[in-house]
Amino acid sequence: MRQLNIYEPLQFFEYERVTFKGKWSNSKFKELHFNAFERYYLENPNTPFFELIPNGVRFKQYVGVIQIGATTIEVLPKAGKESDKNIWQGVLLDMLKSCHLLTAKNTGTAQLRLKSNSLLHLYFELFLDEVEILIQRGLINKYRRETGQAKVLKGSIQFAKHISKNAIHKERFYVNRSVYDKNHLIHQILNETIKVVSHFASESVVLDKLNRVKTLFPETKKLIVKDNYFKKIPLSRKHVPYEKALLISELILMNYRPDIKSGNRDLIALMFDMNKLWEEYILQSLKREGNKDFIIRGQKQKKFWNNSKVIKPDIVLESRNDDKTFIIDTKWKIVSNDKPGDHDLKQMYTYNYRWDCNHSMLLYPSTSNQTKVKGQYFEAIDKRKHFCELAFPQVIKDGKLNKEIAQDILSSFKIIPNSIEHI
């Protein structure tokens, strides 16, 4: 019999409802969790992650992890009827890795799931791995200005302060000086992230790494980290080794809400817009598979109205062998009866005309063998035939994320590398 782990996350799907009592009640979702969500909502009324419902919450299109106190809640993607949460957790992890939002070295998704009970602890572990690497390489020193008392005259004396503070202590100097040490902005940010990890970490693997890092990392001045601090860090060769650690730091610190005014109900949320994640995953998959035959661009824009409005299809494929252009627009939603919405079709018609493209594709996720649908627009302004195709590549294959999805898309589009064929 499988032993229950008290730290095992509660798992829900995007757009799912959960309450502590009533129709959508879940025995593990308590009133204290609802209260923390409610306080978070009052402080962040425009949050895109969820909306409040009576006695609970309804998650939106964002997926990822939310931790309240010791309780971890994972919000997983879902397309079609497949409802195995372990499979969808693996899909999410693989998508994040493919989109470079999860940088795991020399390890597969299956190993990651075995090592970590939650996505949050996985990010904690990756952050600590990066900090350990920095410590092994040697942490950098930087110059900073320091004003205060000193027993040795180094720097410039601040005469007004010196006279007022050192009338009795003649052996002291109140100076402004340059100090070259490890107590600078980058290490202060990393130290604040270590404190957040210390507050939430519960898994033994993470705690072991955390203790090693805390022992070896230098003490720094306390810092209340703000969003613009990450922009202050210069992009130089000296700072390149810190890039991954700082990226994870920003993700953790900018989504941390201490206390939520409840003492021990701190909340942290690492959430990703599933629409953008699906788009980025398709883009990266196509680049890996089709770069020899196509110039593949994401979010390429053109002017649409006057000089103030632009349009940006998700993915533009420009053939290297001729002047043909193809448009793909991704939609993370299930289409009933294989019929797209009027807005989507009008959008694709505009892309076709503006990019001089006669074949575009609306790309929807599927977990079954849905048949593609080809449709032709009425005669366009330029008197040419224009097509928009609906394609439904399978997200899941053999119980995990379909790694051949780009081949399926290109084949469905009748665009096969080294053997290009047009409708």
Side-chain angles (χ1 to χ4, degrees), residues 17 34 41 47-53 56-60:
R17 294 176 173 87
F34 170 72
Y41 184 83
T47 178
F49 303 153
F50 65 90
E51 63 184 5
L52 295 178
I53 59 175
V57 298
R58 175 181 177 267
F59 299 106
K60 295 186 180 180

Side-chain angles (χ1 to χ4, degrees), residues 28 153 247 273 338:
K28 295 180 181 179
L153 179 56
L247 282 173
D273 187 333
D338 296 337

Side-chain angles (χ1 to χ4, degrees), residues 230-272:
F230 293 93
K231 298 180 178 65
K232 291 180 180 179
I233 298 170
L235 300 174
S236 67
R237 287 173 57 190
K238 192 175 182 180
H239 302 109
V240 168
Y242 284 81
E243 187 175 5
K244 289 181 181 178
L246 287 169
L247 282 173
I248 304 175
S249 285
E250 185 174 9
L251 190 63
I252 292 172
L253 293 176
M254 293 301 100
N255 290 284
Y256 172 53
R257 298 293 181 273
D259 283 340
I260 311 295
K261 298 179 181 176
S262 62
N264 59 352
R265 301 282 183 265
D266 295 13
L267 185 149
I268 187 170
L270 273 63
M271 303 290 279
F272 306 89

Side-chain angles (χ1 to χ4, degrees), residues 333-341 364 370 390 392:
K333 60 183 178 182
I334 301 301
V335 177
S336 59
N337 302 320
D338 296 337
K339 291 183 179 179
Y364 300 98
Q370 279 183 274
L390 274 63
F392 307 93

Side-chain angles (χ1 to χ4, degrees), residues 194-212:
I194 291 169
K195 291 176 186 177
V196 174
V197 174
S198 300
H199 186 73
F200 283 105
S202 58
E203 294 181 7
S204 57
V205 173
V206 176
L207 289 171
D208 287 344
K209 291 186 178 184
L210 177 64
N211 289 332
R212 288 200 302 272

Side-chain angles (χ1 to χ4, degrees), residues 15 78-81 275 278 329-345 347-348 361-374 388-393 395:
Y15 296 109
K78 186 176 184 294
K81 296 180 180 179
N275 294 308
W278 173 241
D329 221 52
T330 61
K331 307 289 181 184
W332 182 259
K333 60 183 178 182
I334 301 301
V335 177
S336 59
N337 302 320
D338 296 337
K339 291 183 179 179
D342 290 348
H343 176 77
D344 291 345
L345 284 175
Q347 185 181 34
M348 300 310 289
M361 175 187 286
L362 280 165
L363 194 67
Y364 300 98
S366 174
T367 54
S368 61
N369 291 316
Q370 279 183 274
T371 306
K372 65 182 179 182
V373 178
K374 292 180 183 177
C388 180
E389 180 179 339
L390 274 63
F392 307 93
V395 181

Side-chain angles (χ1 to χ4, degrees), residues 162-187:
H162 176 71
I163 293 169
S164 65
K165 291 181 175 290
N166 296 325
I168 298 174
H169 298 281
K170 304 293 185 183
E171 76 283 3
R172 296 178 185 173
F173 304 94
Y174 197 91
V175 297
N176 183 290
R177 60 180 180 172
S178 291
V179 180
Y180 187 66
D181 63 8
K182 294 179 173 61
N183 184 16
H184 50 78
L185 180 62
I186 295 177
H187 292 157

Side-chain angles (χ1 to χ4, degrees), residues 103 120-136 190-191 193-198 200-217 244-246 248-249 252:
T103 52
L120 183 64
H121 275 75
L122 183 53
Y123 269 97
F124 287 166
E125 187 174 351
L126 293 173
F127 168 73
L128 294 172
D129 284 343
E130 290 298 325
V131 176
E132 278 194 305
I133 291 170
L134 291 171
I135 292 171
Q136 290 166 8
L190 295 182
N191 232 339
T193 311
I194 291 169
K195 291 176 186 177
V196 174
V197 174
S198 300
F200 283 105
S202 58
E203 294 181 7
S204 57
V205 173
V206 176
L207 289 171
D208 287 344
K209 291 186 178 184
L210 177 64
N211 289 332
R212 288 200 302 272
V213 167
K214 287 171 72 174
T215 301
L216 298 171
F217 204 82
K244 289 181 181 178
L246 287 169
I248 304 175
S249 285
I252 292 172

